[in-house]
Every structure is written in structure tokens, then in C-alpha cells.
Amino acid sequence: MDDNMEIDTGSNAHTDSHNHIQDVQSTSLDAPATQVPSTRDNFRDIQVKVHIRRPERDSWVYLGRGIVTQEVIGHSSRVVVRTVSTGKVMATFSESSELQAEKRGNFVVIGCVEGTRVVSWSLNALNNSETLRLLASIELACYRCKQAIQDPRLHTKARRKVERIIKEDRRRRHRRRKDQESMIDAFARQNIGNEPAQPEPGPPIAP
């Protein structure tokens, strides 16, 4: 009887130890989940055409087709644009990004502030519904929740700074475009003035 009790005790100890190991493994698997980016299960990828306008440039450059995904890291998320062909990251928008996004037709135009310069991205979605979903995803991922709660004054000040820099960049581009058009008009008028005068038609010559 005693031998049976010793065997039962050892079996229980082994079971408790095994359960403890399982609990530790389960805890260790749950813990690092905040460090590894994961794609939102309920987020449907958005296909877009990607254009970029670099600082001090007035024209857009087409980069190709891209896929927009939303990745979750802990309690925050980020929007990532990758190329369709290779999966290479073209752009990332997150809470650390200083940007302003707006909808223009089926385009979402994003002005990213880098110091005193502005890099503009244009994401052309398939339809109005996809465009609205894209805009909402970017605004949600880039909204600084902690700053807005902890220091609303600083949050408002930072947003106004971004808006001011983007507005000044737009004003400079419009001024450059206007100056360029004025130079083209002046050059055209100068060429017209330098053209040789056409001789006045004379009376018909008698045969």
C-alpha cells in the first residue's frame, strides 16, 4: 500500500511539473507578441498606384503599383505600402510620422514633413470606398493618442506646425509655377516681336 502511495505521489509531482512548464511556455508565447508586427486579420489589403513628389520638385513621379497593409505592434499600428512585384517597402506611415493626409477624388495625398522639407505621396485607390478606407487607416495609425491625452496643448501645437510647413511648401510651389508661366509668356512674346515682318501683298503682276 505504501509503495502504491509513493508511486501516486511521484506521478502527481510529475504532472504538476509538466503543467507548470506548459504554463511558462504559454506565458512566454504570449509575452513577445507586442514586439512582432502582425497584419490585422480584419484588414483587407488595398491596391493603389503610387506617385511621389520630392522636396523642391513640382512634378509627380510614378513609382508603380503597391499594396497597402496595416500592421499591429502592441497597442499601436502602422500602414505599410509595398510594391506588388517584389514586396519591397515603399513607404511607412505610423504614429511617429509628421504628416497630413487628405482625399482628392480617388487619391489620398499625404504630405510628410521632414525637418523643413515636405515629401508628398499620392495613393490612387480603385474607387471611392477604398479611398475612404485608406484615408481612415492612415489617420488612425498616425494619430498620437498618448500625446493627445497627456499633453493636449503640445499635440495641438505639433499638428499646427505640420499644417503650417505644408501650407508654406504649397505656396512656394504655386509661386514657382506662376513664375515659370510668366517666363514662358515673356519668351513667347519676345519671339513674336523678333519675327521678320511679312511683306504687304502688292498689286497683281500683269502677264
Side-chain angles (χ1 to χ4, degrees):
M1 186 69 178
D2 293 340
D3 292 341
N4 291 336
M5 290 180 62
E6 288 178 2
I7 293 174
D8 293 340
T9 303
S11 176
N12 292 336
H14 177 72
T15 302
D16 293 340
S17 176
H18 180 69
N19 292 337
H20 177 70
I21 292 174
Q22 286 183 331
D23 293 339
V24 172
Q25 288 177 342
S26 176
T27 304
S28 62
L29 288 175
D30 294 338
T34 57
Q35 304 296 329
V36 180
S38 60
T39 304
R40 283 182 53 183
D41 294 336
N42 60 342
F43 182 84
R44 189 172 69 255
D45 293 348
I46 303 174
Q47 295 188 20
V48 293
K49 294 179 182 178
V50 185
H51 291 77
I52 185 173
R53 184 174 59 209
R54 294 182 171 85
E56 304 303 325
R57 299 292 179 89
D58 298 331
S59 58
W60 292 93
V61 177
Y62 179 63
L63 298 183
R65 293 181 178 272
I67 295 290
V68 178
T69 58
Q70 189 170 15
E71 297 179 350
V72 178
I73 308 174
H75 297 291
S76 60
S77 64
R78 65 184 182 186
V79 172
V80 183
V81 185
R82 291 183 171 86
T83 58
V84 173
S85 56
T86 63
K88 181 180 178 181
V89 175
M90 304 170 74
T92 302
F93 309 110
S94 65
E95 192 174 329
S96 61
S97 304
E98 294 186 334
L99 58 78
Q100 184 182 50
E102 57 182 331
K103 179 180 179 293
R104 299 179 186 173
N106 284 346
F107 293 82
V108 174
V109 179
I110 308 155
C112 298
V113 176
E114 299 179 356
T116 58
R117 308 189 313 164
V118 178
V119 179
S120 299
W121 294 88
S122 173
L123 306 179
N124 179 206
L126 297 176
N127 51 51
N128 186 65
S129 176
E130 295 285 83
T131 306
L132 290 173
R133 196 162 62 89
L134 175 61
L135 178 62
S137 300
I138 293 173
E139 289 183 338
L140 179 63
C142 299
Y143 187 74
R144 299 180 176 180
C145 303
K146 292 181 181 179
Q147 187 185 65
I149 296 174
Q150 296 176 357
D151 196 338
R153 186 177 179 181
L154 180 62
H155 177 74
T156 303
K157 185 177 179 180
R159 288 180 65 90
R160 288 179 177 174
K161 179 184 176 182
V162 171
E163 292 173 359
R164 176 175 53 81
I165 293 175
I166 292 176
K167 187 178 294 183
E168 290 175 354
D169 179 75
R170 184 181 295 121
R171 189 179 297 116
R172 285 195 299 268
R173 282 190 288 104
H174 290 172
R175 188 183 302 119
R176 285 196 303 267
R177 187 180 298 115
K178 188 175 181 180
D179 293 344
Q180 187 179 14
E181 291 174 354
S182 299
M183 290 179 62
I184 293 174
D185 291 341
F187 185 72
R189 285 195 300 268
Q190 183 180 5
N191 285 346
I192 292 174
N194 292 336
E195 287 181 356
Q198 296 293 330
E200 291 293 334
I205 301 175

